């Protein structure tokens, strides 16, 4: 298994109005808003829920998945 990506964001930012959950990454609006200031310990249960719900694969991405361009461009997610 490789390390987790910087963010679970897949750049499909569509919030489901009734649940306030992003249909792309599975995070809540609060999780999205606070992601950059969350500690790894705070992110761990979110990652585990996203894995369980099928939003991210447990084997994660390779190092090539998270590129400097991706990080520099970033997104609200």
């Amino acid at each position: 298994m490789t390390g987790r990506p910087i963010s679970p964001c897949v750049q499909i930012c569509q919030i489901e109005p009734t649940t306030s959950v992003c249909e792309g990454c599975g995070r809540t609006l609060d999780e999205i808003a606070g992601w950059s200031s969350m500690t790894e310990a705070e992110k761990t249960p979110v990652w585990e829920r996203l894995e369980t719900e099928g939003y991210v694969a447990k084997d994660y991405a390779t190092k090539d998945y998270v590129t400097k361009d991706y990080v520099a461009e970033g997104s609200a997610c």
Side-chain angles (χ1 to χ4, degrees):
M1 175 169 31
T2 61
R4 289 181 172 140
I6 293 171
S7 167
C9 181
V10 293
Q11 298 184 345
I12 302 172
C13 303
Q14 296 179 339
I15 303 301
E16 209 302 309
T18 59
T19 62
S20 296
V21 171
C22 177
E23 294 178 10
C25 70
R27 292 178 293 167
T28 66
L29 285 174
D30 288 340
E31 292 166 344
I32 293 168
W35 192 258
S36 63
S37 63
M38 291 170 71
T39 65
E40 289 304 313
E42 293 169 325
K43 291 177 182 178
T44 296
V46 178
W47 279 112
E48 291 171 352
R49 178 178 52 80
L50 298 176
E51 291 166 2
T52 300
E53 294 176 0
Y55 284 98
V56 294
K58 290 185 180 185
D59 58 353
Y60 307 112
T62 64
K63 285 173 56 178
D64 295 332
Y65 176 75
V66 180
T67 66
K68 290 180 182 177
D69 291 337
Y70 176 77
V71 174
E73 290 175 335
S75 73
C77 299

